[in-house]
Amino acid sequence: MSIPATAAPASDTPQPGAQTAGSLPDAVTATDLAPAARPLAQATPAIAVLVPCYNEEASIAKVVRDFRAALPGCVVYVYDNNSKDRTIEEARAAGAVVRCETLQGKGNVVRRMFADVEADIYVMVDGDDTYDAGKAPELVRKLVDEQLDMVNGARVADWETYRRGHRFGNVLLTTLVTMVFGKRTQDMLSGYRVFSRRFVKSFPVLAGGFEIETELVVHALEMRMPIGEVETPYKDRAPGSVSKLSTFRDGFRILWMIGKLIKEERPMQFFGIASLLLAVLSVGIAVPLFMEYFATGLVPRFPTAVLATGLGLLSFLFLTAGLILDTVTRGRREMKRLKYLEIPAPAFDPAVIGTPR
């Protein structure tokens, strides 16, 4: 079930052919106006709360109820990912729209949610009841007030709330992404975010698992989208709820995803560093050979000379690959930007956020 765009009240809509003070001629629509002159297209945005779920029987009902209370008029979508417990029944009983995705992994669920659900604003949150639903209106209002495309819910909690491996991994991976793509978020791996329609419908989800959070952040950074962050409380899971995140397995998958994104989004850096390392190694091997040749006129270690030459050639090949792929990446980025710009920026009245539609 998709969420229709919220239309203006019937009493405020002029009849065909009729014109009132300040109304537009029949041949002109609001979308033809410049953004600065465009009136509020919708009084209240259609908000969809997206909840990817796997075996969250103990907490999903509370999550659904809390977000329905925090954002009156929103529609909560729970996408079940092959749960073996009563997650579906609990979510449906709490008033959620329940759908299923059989491809295992959070990234696969997010891909399906972004493709299926139609809304103006999307709130994505985990179904484990570790995030504060009361912060949702603040996140949504920040998105609307500042015309942002993503607002990240940065987790604030006691150190004891985080598992030690998760805490270290979050800091390490966030720092690594910050060094390469820029520092615009404090908590890259948060599962609590708000998105504009522009973001959701122009984001090609490629990740299959928990590395989806990394892909979301890097996409926003590379597209230079306007993003923001709001600190939000983070608490322990409900009794009976178990984390599905594996510290080492998923940590390495996220690290692998970061490497792939660097190769695809920053190929000149990726292949340039490899080219520099190969060049240094080639020169380091070749210098003693040259010194011996100048001293004796002989090259007694011929295989070493071949190795140095091969490494030098590889260095130039890597540099060439980086230059070519950098041009290709620029073209891809331009196409993604054009697709993003095809979707009009929303205009909503911030005063109605969190009120019934």
Side-chain angles (χ1 to χ4, degrees), residues 164-174 189:
R164 183 175 301 175
H166 291 184
R167 184 171 67 234
F168 172 75
N170 190 18
V171 173
L172 174 65
L173 297 171
T174 300
L189 300 180

Side-chain angles (χ1 to χ4, degrees), residues 332-350:
R332 288 175 51 245
R333 193 176 296 129
E334 289 173 351
M335 293 303 296
K336 288 192 289 186
R337 183 70 184 179
L338 290 174
K339 177 62 180 177
Y340 164 83
L341 292 174
E342 286 180 1
I343 305 171
F348 301 117
D349 182 0

